[in-house]
Amino acid sequence: MTYPLQFSAEVAAALKENRPIVALESTIIAHGMPWPKNVETAREVESIVRSRGAVPATIAILNGNIHVGLDDAQMDLLGNSKDVWKVSLRDMPYVVSQKLHGATTVAATMRIASMAGIKVFVTGGIGGVHRGAEKTMDISADLTEMSMTNVAVVSAGVKSILDIGLTLEYLETLGIPVVTFNSDDFPSFYSRKSGFKTPLRLDTPKAIADMLKTKWDLGLNGSVMIANPVPADKEVPFEKMESYIREALNAADEKGIKGKETTPYLLKYLANLTGGESLAANISLVLNNARLGAEIAAAL
Ligand code: PSU
Ligand code: MN
């Protein structure tokens, strides 16, 4: 892969010296959280990664350039500008060749991380199989990307704006291991449980790193989904969140929201509806994932 990437000095040095690096996505900044909490959180995530001995590499497209590691001004631009595309895999060649700004989803961030040689990626929640997908066919490219690209994804599970059961089935079909850190329950982003047991459980970053190395040594390509439950003090109980989510889904339906607009619309609606409670959970779980991701990268 020879396409030129723009590395921050910090990431370039870490790559050269083979030090642990954690990739971070930017859709969560531009389309997943409101300004200015989005940029504050992104910076805090980066400092947590550093405090655990790894180097943060936030990935985004600016004026068509693919950046791995952002400076302060670039982070502000992403978090505060209206004309930032949400870039999944299919959007990448358009946004790059048209020299536009793009915030990368899980799928696009993983692909760029892989091009850069980064093995561990931290986010909040992945995209998955939407409720009603049997009619709409709305299944995130995050899942197919996870079946192909050798980058581990640390998330807080799958949000119940999606169909969690179908998403777990789809992950199984694609051969993607799902490992929950320190819990038997598969988490649902805002909540520590989802009504589903986790397929696999590991309790230390070292054990997770060992499993990653083993998977790739075996020639089994693709990701591992590492689910890290939201800290208990910031969790929104599953049943309570479920009723908010039903209301958000109804609103999206009535407004005819479709395709790539669906996830950002629902996230914004929920943040308003819960009066910031969901946003506080969201911030807490991202910081928690940064901690675990940095420790896994260091162990790897
Ligand atoms: N799920 C979340 N929070 C998010 C996203 C998903 O709980 O911010 C973002 C991620 O960037 C993910 C993208 O890759 O939404 C998935 O969008 P879609 O469903 O359109 O593939
Ligand atoms: Mn979709």
Side-chain angles (χ1 to χ4, degrees), residues 3-297:
Y3 196 87
L5 305 174
Q6 315 284 315
F7 294 102
S8 67
E10 188 186 16
V11 173
L15 280 168
K16 207 166 145 201
E17 293 157 20
N18 201 21
R19 283 188 281 124
I21 305 176
V22 171
L24 301 160
E25 67 150 308
S26 44
T27 294
I28 189 174
I29 304 172
H31 305 285
M33 283 186 197
W35 168 268
K37 282 263 194 267
N38 55 355
V39 170
E40 287 165 24
T41 305
R43 293 212 170 96
E44 207 176 332
V45 164
E46 291 202 336
S47 80
I48 286 177
V49 169
R50 287 191 191 98
S51 76
R52 304 277 155 143
V55 167
T58 303
I59 291 176
I61 301 168
L62 297 169
N63 297 307
N65 295 310
I66 303 177
H67 288 267
V68 181
L70 301 180
D71 65 27
D72 278 351
Q74 292 168 334
M75 195 81 94
D76 279 332
L77 173 82
L78 262 185
N80 199 8
S81 160
K82 285 277 159 273
D83 50 302
V84 176
W85 277 62
K86 175 182 163 188
V87 177
S88 191
L89 288 175
R90 59 148 193 202
D91 312 293
M92 255 170 81
Y94 181 87
V95 169
V96 169
S97 64
Q98 291 291 307
K99 308 202 179 321
L100 303 172
H101 300 323
T104 48
T105 63
V106 168
T109 307
M110 280 181 74
R111 185 68 66 93
I112 295 165
S114 166
M115 287 159 67
I118 302 170
K119 293 285 176 206
V120 177
F121 163 48
V122 164
T123 184
I126 63 163
V129 181
H130 280 261
R131 297 191 191 191
E134 63 277 14
K135 286 215 185 80
T136 62
M137 299 275 285
D138 192 351
I139 300 173
S140 177
D142 292 356
L143 297 183
T144 40
E145 182 63 15
M146 287 177 80
S147 71
M148 298 191 274
T149 297
N150 296 2
V151 174
V153 178
V154 180
S155 75
V158 171
K159 214 172 258 169
S160 50
I161 59 173
L162 302 173
D163 189 316
I164 296 177
L166 290 187
T167 302
L168 286 169
E169 290 295 342
Y170 206 87
L171 286 161
E172 181 187 352
T173 301
L174 293 175
I176 302 163
V178 175
V179 184
T180 300
F181 180 60
N182 249 317
S183 175
D184 293 326
D185 289 310
F186 182 69
S188 60
F189 196 88
Y190 301 114
S191 319
R192 294 179 60 82
K193 62 180 184 120
S194 61
F196 293 86
K197 291 288 167 203
T198 186
L200 305 167
R201 167 182 174 156
L202 289 170
D203 291 348
T204 64
K206 169 78 168 62
I208 294 171
D210 284 346
M211 182 176 153
L212 293 174
K213 181 169 188 306
T214 302
K215 179 175 197 269
W216 296 324
D217 283 351
L218 284 165
L220 294 167
N221 285 326
S223 187
V224 170
M225 176 175 186
I226 300 151
N228 188 26
V230 60
D233 63 326
K234 288 286 168 12
E235 135 174 89
V236 186
F238 182 70
E239 293 74 16
K240 186 171 168 192
M241 208 57 225
E242 183 62 23
S243 76
Y244 291 139
I245 284 169
R246 280 180 203 279
E247 188 176 335
L249 288 165
N250 282 337
D253 203 34
E254 271 164 30
K255 278 198 94 178
I257 305 290
K258 286 197 182 65
K260 71 184 281 190
E261 310 307 329
T262 304
T263 302
Y265 180 87
L266 293 171
L267 297 187
K268 197 170 291 171
Y269 196 96
L270 285 171
N272 290 334
L273 192 63
T274 63
E277 193 183 0
S278 71
L279 185 59
N282 198 342
I283 291 170
S284 164
L285 67 86
V286 174
L287 301 178
N288 193 43
N289 294 348
R291 257 170 242 127
L292 179 60
E295 286 169 5
I296 293 168

